[in-house]
Amino acid sequence: MRGFFTQIAAGFALALTGIAPTVSAQDAEGGWSLAIHGGAGTIARENMSAEEDAAYRASLQAALDAGAKMLAEGGEALDAVEAVILLLEDDPRFNAGRGAVFTWEGGHELDASIMDGRDRDAGAVAGVTTVRHPISLARKVMTDSPHVMLAGKGAETFAAEHDLELVPADWFSTDFRREALERMKARELSALDVDAKFGTVGAVALDRNGNLAAGTSTGGMTGKRWNRIGDAPVIGAGTYADNRSCAVSATGWGEYFIRVGVAHEICSRLRGQRAMSENARSTVNMPETIADFLFDGERAVQRTADDVLAEVKNLGGDGGVILVTPEGHALFSFNTSGMYRGRATSEGVNEVAIYGDE
């Protein structure tokens, strides 16, 4: 209890410095917000040519614009999330769909998940090999089956029964990813040695109706064996959405994100903070602006995401997350040198970035 009142006192002190309360997207009628990612990892300017830098930014901007347009026109968060990921799955620069990394045996095993913040309905697929858009299959699992996750041949059969587009397995192959596998085998390297970045893609959105959604898609890690599955299709680890707190999509070393339950952990902590805010307003009679600052403000949200990523790092993992809150905060947190990312809001924000100092 002493710590709680210490927080209150600190909040009053900060408020007196003239810090303005955060304005939420939903304060203005019909606000919306969107954040996207294309992977986090060892991404440095000195290792990127000007042409590569421009190409990645153009890909991110095209995906961001597609989702932003949909939200601006009144589209649903789920539709915007899927629209963003569809484009990124077809872009060979990212490790999802076409451009996915190779397994040890020389194939591709694709994972994806999607979640609706309204009722926490969710769908996920793992280890699919011929479905052009795993994110669409994940959504179909959510809407047209009684299950949350399907895997392997069963997921492929479900896709065919629901008329989703199937492609030859080599449609996903690129020379760049094949060279990474060959280098890994020839030099007896680990996946982390050849994967300079985790190219998982994802999107999170808040629509004009105040609903949240999140989605993630990936090809996994180079040279993965034994049908390894990371965090991307695991609801609560790589993807989570709850209208009561936030929507999160993660990218990184999946084993650690699963162990921490990163996406759910962030949303759970934020939901607790919102409850504290409401309690402070009603029982402590704290001014609304100070309660917002302490519990719901952008700084508090950023701190929460950073704290959870710090747990991942302490265990030995790395990566990043994107998140959107009901107030419209669109934020990033990563413990790597860079992260392909972008965000847009109804308040006029529209930006993409790559490096940690942007």
Side-chain angles (χ1 to χ4, degrees):
M1 182 63 69
R2 179 180 297 177
F4 175 71
F5 282 104
T6 299
Q7 277 191 311
I8 293 175
F12 274 110
L14 287 168
L16 292 174
T17 66
I19 297 175
T22 303
V23 178
S24 76
Q26 291 301 312
D27 287 340
E29 184 178 354
W32 57 266
S33 190
L34 173 70
I36 72 172
H37 72 76
T42 307
I43 307 169
R45 283 188 176 84
E46 57 268 25
N47 298 328
M48 186 95 68
S49 70
E51 291 76 16
E52 289 174 326
D53 181 293
Y56 273 107
R57 291 179 191 273
S59 292
L60 290 169
Q61 190 67 61
L64 185 67
D65 288 346
K69 182 176 186 295
M70 189 168 291
L71 292 170
E73 293 175 351
E76 292 192 351
L78 275 172
D79 293 332
V81 163
E82 184 177 11
V84 167
I85 296 176
L86 286 174
L87 287 178
L88 296 176
E89 284 180 336
D90 273 350
D91 193 321
R93 293 182 179 85
F94 303 100
N95 175 23
R98 192 169 198 178
V101 299
F102 282 85
T103 65
W104 184 264
E105 294 78 16
H108 305 282
E109 296 174 356
L110 312 175
D111 310 325
S113 61
I114 196 166
M115 190 166 184
D116 187 342
R118 289 173 291 194
D119 55 6
R120 285 173 285 170
D121 202 2
V125 294
V128 297
T129 60
T130 63
V131 179
R132 178 175 177 177
H133 289 297
I135 192 63
S136 295
L137 177 55
R139 186 169 183 181
K140 188 65 69 171
V141 171
M142 178 178 73
T143 59
D144 288 36
S145 88
H147 309 299
V148 170
M149 181 184 290
L150 299 180
K153 293 182 180 179
E156 299 274 347
T157 300
F158 182 83
E161 291 176 353
H162 288 80
D163 299 321
L164 294 183
E165 183 177 359
L166 305 179
V167 293
D170 62 2
W171 188 89
F172 303 105
S173 302
T174 60
D175 292 340
F176 171 73
R177 300 298 188 186
R178 183 178 287 105
E179 186 276 332
L181 177 65
E182 293 171 350
R183 182 157 43 91
M184 177 184 184
K185 289 184 173 182
R187 301 182 188 177
E188 297 183 353
L189 302 173
S190 73
L192 298 178
D193 291 321
V194 296
D195 287 339
K197 58 180 172 57
F198 303 102
T200 298
V201 306
V204 292
L206 167 73
D207 63 30
R208 289 188 180 279
N209 294 317
N211 295 316
L212 296 167
T216 312
S217 182
T218 189
M221 300 183 80
T222 299
K224 61 182 179 178
R225 306 175 75 176
W226 312 298
N227 302 121
R228 176 263 186 190
I229 298 171
D231 66 301
V234 179
I235 301 301
T239 301
Y240 202 75
D242 184 345
N243 278 10
R244 300 174 299 173
S245 55
C246 68
V248 176
S249 174
T251 174
W253 196 341
E255 283 70 14
Y256 292 94
F257 279 67
I258 292 171
R259 288 162 61 185
V260 175
V262 166
H264 180 269
E265 182 71 10
I266 292 172
C267 288
S268 179
R269 292 189 189 191
L270 290 178
R271 184 156 58 94
Q273 291 173 20
R274 292 172 68 85
M276 290 179 69
S277 173
E278 293 170 4
N279 184 63
R281 291 188 181 100
S282 61
T283 63
V284 185
N285 199 28
M286 181 186 293
E288 183 173 345
T289 54
I290 297 177
D292 284 344
F293 178 82
L294 285 176
F295 305 113
D296 295 334
E298 185 170 353
R299 293 185 186 181
V301 175
Q302 184 70 60
R303 182 173 60 250
T304 299
D306 292 345
D307 286 348
V308 175
L309 264 292
E311 287 193 26
V312 172
K313 187 173 183 178
N314 289 338
L315 291 177
D318 56 0
V321 297
I322 54 174
L323 68 151
V324 165
T325 70
E327 296 77 30
H329 305 307
L331 303 174
F332 315 100
S333 181
F334 51 98
N335 58 23
T336 55
S337 62
M339 179 177 181
Y340 296 111
R341 59 200 189 275
R343 61 182 174 180
T345 73
S346 55
E347 296 176 349
V349 174
N350 190 302
E351 60 188 20
V352 298
I354 297 176
Y355 313 109
D357 58 1
E358 294 185 82

